Amino acid sequence: MNDYSQLEERLNYTFKNKQLIIEALTHKSYKKPYNNERLEFLGDAVLDLIVGEYLFSKFPNSNEGILSKIRASLVNESGFTLLARKLDLGSYIYLSLAEENNNGRNKPSLLSNAFEAIIGAIYLEAGLATAKEISIKLLEESHPKIDLDSLSKDYKTALQELTQATHGVTPNYTLLDSSGPDHKKEFVIAVTLDDKTIATAKGKSKKEAQQKAAELALKELKA
Amino acid sequence: MNDYSQLEERLNYTFKNKQLIIEALTHKSYKKPYNNERLEFLGDAVLDLIVGEYLFSKFPNSNEGILSKIRASLVNESGFTLLARKLDLGSYIYLSLAEENNNGRNKPSLLSNAFEAIIGAIYLEAGLATAKEISIKLLEESHPKIDLDSLSKDYKTALQELTQATHGVTPNYTLLDSSGPDHKKEFVIAVTLDDKTIATAKGKSKKEAQQKAAELALKELKA
């Protein structure tokens, strides 16, 4: 039997039932009566809830649309592949020789699925609180900056992609106004396309106002 | 303040924090500083996990693809609307006059979202075990027969829909063979299209074999 102690140390969790960790690490190509797909199914839902609740508490003023977007940026194959690599899951996975020769241990889908299965297995054996503690710790270590700012950047990027496709131009952001005392400044930004104003928005920083303006412009252009 | 005692009785749960049930029942049209969208976001993930784990335990031999399909048939707007109606959620929802006049209390999306928000609120206040108990009870009452059979029927229906669209004909199921002693019979069924065999499958009953054959035929025709 393999030694899982290093993996368990990285997880900060010791499996009571070793069959559970074995199942979580078994790719379907290995042709055993079990594989990690069922645990992956469970782990996927566990992680959706854990990350959803984490964001729900962390951003008490954000609406459901924002929360969904941040979650989607964390809960996906590339995000989980990152966590799987940190745990070095690849070297533990049981897989067929063919899959092995096909660089299977390094495939994002394999790694991401094994990570979900591991979390599913911990949930089954130890419950939600333990699975939550372990997942959030891993997540915070790999995403030191989960914040609205880094999310909102996506609006500017998305707007630029859209306008280049539809109008062949890049949007411009213009400062229309700034007011208020230093500790409570407010900025008004207009986003323009070919000198035509598409949207304006206020914010506590230029960056915030730009991001809000981009979001509004996106809605406007898609309407 | 409204009286929620009848609703709480139907849920078999009494909210300690009444603001939580109010928020869960408040549609965004009501224009309060809060609405039920954040709780709906949370409840959606809670229900995905609860139903996923329920199916994971109930069907220990089903693979992840089957579990996902059964879950999708339960965790969706029409399923949750059914549960919301059983709870008579519609008469409790806070919504704008415009939405009210627009038959809002009867809209599937409004009802389904309010149901998810209620489960999200129970999860927040009382944890996963309580939310699980309440949801599973409601689910089992409205879906007395959550089984693989009623799911697999969908394969035959899906195949028929597909072949009528692509070939203008209905598939036929033919018994090719039955063998084994009475208590351990095995049936072999072929599914044919215009007298051409698309797939054959074995099963412990004719029904099971037909369903498996339909599933294989679907894969074949979509390949």
Side-chain angles (χ1 to χ4, degrees), chain A residues 54-62 67 70 146-148, chain B residues 38:
Chain A
Y54 172 78
L55 299 173
F56 182 94
S57 312
K58 192 175 167 86
F59 302 117
N61 301 313
S62 294
L67 298 179
I70 309 183
I146 299 176
D147 60 27
L148 293 175
Chain B
R38 281 171 46 88

Side-chain angles (χ1 to χ4, degrees), chain A:
Chain A
M1 190 168 141
N2 228 314
D3 179 10
Y4 306 104
S5 55
Q6 261 203 308
L7 174 56
E8 291 181 324
E9 210 173 290
R10 282 189 212 108
L11 284 166
N12 195 23
Y13 180 76
T14 306
F15 279 91
K16 285 180 262 318
N17 175 2
K18 296 297 177 201
Q19 184 52 38
L20 215 46
I21 187 171
I22 293 172
E23 185 170 327
L25 292 167
T26 302
H27 183 248
K28 66 167 182 266
S29 67
Y30 202 56
K31 298 291 174 204
K32 288 279 173 184
Y34 53 84
N35 64 51
N36 64 10
E37 291 189 335
R38 281 170 48 88
L39 288 171
E40 176 213 333
F41 168 80
L42 193 61
D44 176 68
V46 170
L47 284 158
D48 247 18
L49 174 57
I50 288 175
V51 177
E53 185 180 7
Y54 172 78
L55 299 173
F56 182 94
S57 312
K58 192 175 167 86
F59 302 117
N61 301 313
S62 294
N63 68 34
E64 160 272 340
I66 299 282
L67 298 179
S68 294
K69 272 180 200 154
I70 309 183
R71 180 168 59 187
S73 74
L74 296 169
V75 175
N76 58 46
E77 189 175 286
S78 67
F80 289 160
T81 301
L82 198 73
L83 302 185
R85 289 197 205 281
K86 274 181 55 115
L87 294 168
D88 190 22
L89 278 191
S91 59
Y92 292 92
I93 293 175
Y94 298 98
L95 72 186
S96 70
L97 196 62
E99 196 58 49
E100 175 96 56
N101 292 335
N102 196 20
N103 201 21
R105 291 193 190 282
N106 216 12
K107 269 192 199 161
S109 62
L110 246 105
L111 289 169
S112 165
N113 292 349
F115 175 74
E116 292 180 311
I118 286 280
I119 297 299
I122 293 173
Y123 170 78
L124 263 192
E125 189 172 85
L128 187 62
T130 305
K132 197 185 289 186
E133 205 180 308
I134 291 168
S135 316
I136 294 300
K137 188 167 165 283
L138 288 169
L139 214 61
E140 288 188 331
E141 281 168 7
S142 343
H143 302 270
K145 203 163 163 280
I146 299 176
D147 60 27
L148 293 175
D149 241 40
S150 42
L151 171 78
S152 321
K153 267 180 212 148
D154 286 347
Y155 289 124
K156 285 184 70 178
T157 308
L159 180 62
Q160 180 164 335
E161 285 169 2
L162 182 71
T163 60
Q164 278 176 337
T166 56
H167 296 68
V169 293
T170 300
N172 281 309
Y173 295 87
T174 318
L175 181 65
L176 295 186
D177 191 26
S178 70
S179 57
D182 265 359
H183 67 285
K184 218 187 158 183
K185 271 228 181 305
E186 194 176 66
F187 299 86
V188 183
I189 293 274
V191 52
T192 58
L193 215 56
D194 281 337
D195 296 329
K196 206 185 134 210
T197 299
I198 309 295
T200 61
K202 288 180 198 170
K204 276 174 248 155
S205 66
K206 287 184 202 168
K207 211 167 149 189
E208 189 188 279
Q210 284 179 358
Q211 287 154 1
K212 284 189 182 170
E215 187 182 0
L216 290 174
L218 271 171
K219 280 190 190 152
E220 188 61 35
L221 293 175
K222 284 179 177 169

